[in-house]
Amino acid sequence: MLNIVNKPFLGLFLFVITGTAAFAQTGRFQQSVDYKMDVDMNVTSNQYSGTQVLKYTNNSPDTLHKVFYHLYFNAFQPGSMMDERSRSISDPDRRVGDRINALSPNEIGYLHVNSLTMDGMKVDFEEVETILEVTLPRPILPNSEVEFNMSFIGQVPVQIRRSGRDSSEGVRYSMSQWYPKMANYDEQGWHSNPYVGREFYGIWGDFDVKITIDKSYTLGGTGYLQNPNQIGHGYEDEGVTVPKPTGETLTWHFKAPMVHDFMWAADPKYRHEKVKMENGITVHHLFIPTEETTENWEKLKEYTPKAINFLSEHFGQYPYKQFSVIQGGDGGMEYAMSTLITGGRNLRGLVGVMAHELAHSWFHGVLASNEALYPWMDEGFTSYASSLTMSEIYSPSENPLAGSYSGYYRLVKSGKEEPMSTHSDHYHTNSAYSSAAYSKGAVFLEQMGYIIGADVRDKGMHRYWNTWKFKHPNANDLIRVMEKESGLELDWYKEYFVYTTKTINYGIKEVNPQGDHTDIILERIGLMPMPIDLVITYKDGSQEMVYLPLAIMRGEKTPEEGAPKRILTEDWPWTNITKKITIDRKMNSIKSIEIDPSKRLADVEQENNKVEF
């Protein structure tokens, strides 16, 4: 495992050397950043000032004449795009609604750049709500590095969405999306999306952050604390006596290598408890102790390490040496090496939100697909992984993905479904976005196991991790990994399930006795073709399977462990609406015939999937 704590730069250097060569074969690139920030937080005014030195490396083949920064806190002002969208959409997020429009001047959020230079040269910039548009004094050439120096000021908004102060649970500061953040530039160009409501896409790099704040506050979040024996607050080494602060403030110094964001939270009431795992990972839990939280947060310390171990075993080894679970925010939200979750939950709810936000560390934190374009590759895959995690560490479930399938079916029946390829900010309704990103995205992976076999899918997920960690994969990258692992062609699956709203609906149309054999006629009613596992159960209790791969798969899945014996395999061309199958058994020996008893096929009308005799 990469030892990021003791030798972060050497370990990451070795990763870059070994990882870049493989990445270069794809013809893609990614920029790199190195942030150094010093921030002073005034806990009376809820305002802060900071400086930022950003080393920016243009690894693209393009010459850059402009750059863009995100200024997320500017969304929390009356009349902002987030405000307008929250008040005009038919199903507003209950956490936002019309709250932004009602904010007073000392409640709004803002983030303003006071000065900015590039390599010592003054630059022209314009603040356009949540985006800073920067015109460069000279172009940034391909394969070159420049240094931006900035001073900025901000005001923390009252807690509304993800970030903020003075939450309903009394948390003083949830500091996410709090600093001017360079927008990503990739093979599709700049991704300078305004902050309207959805999630984030960043550039990997190293963060060196110093935060000066009232000495009574305990902090937690992204990165490794560099001065724990001077800070204390539960971070000090065992047996160390922490010196008393000489002034009214403390300066917390964090470093975070190879992350694409930096979050921190602060409260004078936090209880900070550490769990040291056998593999060297330290898990930090920070919460405000109350009658509602203390017992369950104490129990949570047992589940977080179990979840890290399960996810590492099944999806790839967690690459950092710490993870922080922090009470804060407005629900649950993922960040580099950390999460903010609301704390006043029953134990199952608390473990569940922890498992979900932790699972994001794999799909948001390390694989980090562009969530504006592929939210289902983060939210959906995270939902899939966290459902399996909960079944393993909390309570076993015969069908951990049942909830995701139900969510997808409700979306289809609502008539509001939009293709999963829709830009996340541009879904017509919040419910359509949520069901597509979370439910249908999870179904995509579980159904992949139906198509290529669960064991092959699981091996494919490890291959996906090892091939694309720290490289921002897209849908094509995932499909190619699964094709290589399975030996099957799968482009059709992506084209139908991601880029359309065509649904799966198969039925058993007829069963006809033919003397010593039986004819079964299957029908494709829906517009999306799929392979079919047809399981026949006989009156003597035995089972057999007729397997019907699509002709365009150019092959067949390996028989799955525990599946009935295959008695027949025939391709079903997608152009053919019906398919006749003949089995060498009398009809009076058959108890039932069923399409996919495993329920992994997302068939939207299952009443015609089974006949019994």
Side-chain angles (χ1 to χ4, degrees), residues 34 68 73 99 186 266 321 348 393 444 540 546 573-574 583:
D34 185 339
F68 300 87
F73 271 8
R99 293 180 62 203
D186 63 17
K321 287 293 185 180
R348 183 183 181 88
I393 71 169
F444 180 96
D540 63 7
V546 176
W574 71 268
I583 60 171

Side-chain angles (χ1 to χ4, degrees), residues 31-32 55-64 118-119 136 138-148:
Q31 312 294 63
S32 61
K55 292 181 180 179
Y56 180 79
T57 304
N58 179 16
N59 293 316
S60 81
D62 305 324
T63 298
L64 305 180
M118 185 187 82
D119 290 339
L136 302 176
R138 61 171 173 79
I140 306 176
L141 300 177
N143 302 310
S144 67
E145 179 184 280
V146 297
E147 182 176 284
F148 291 99

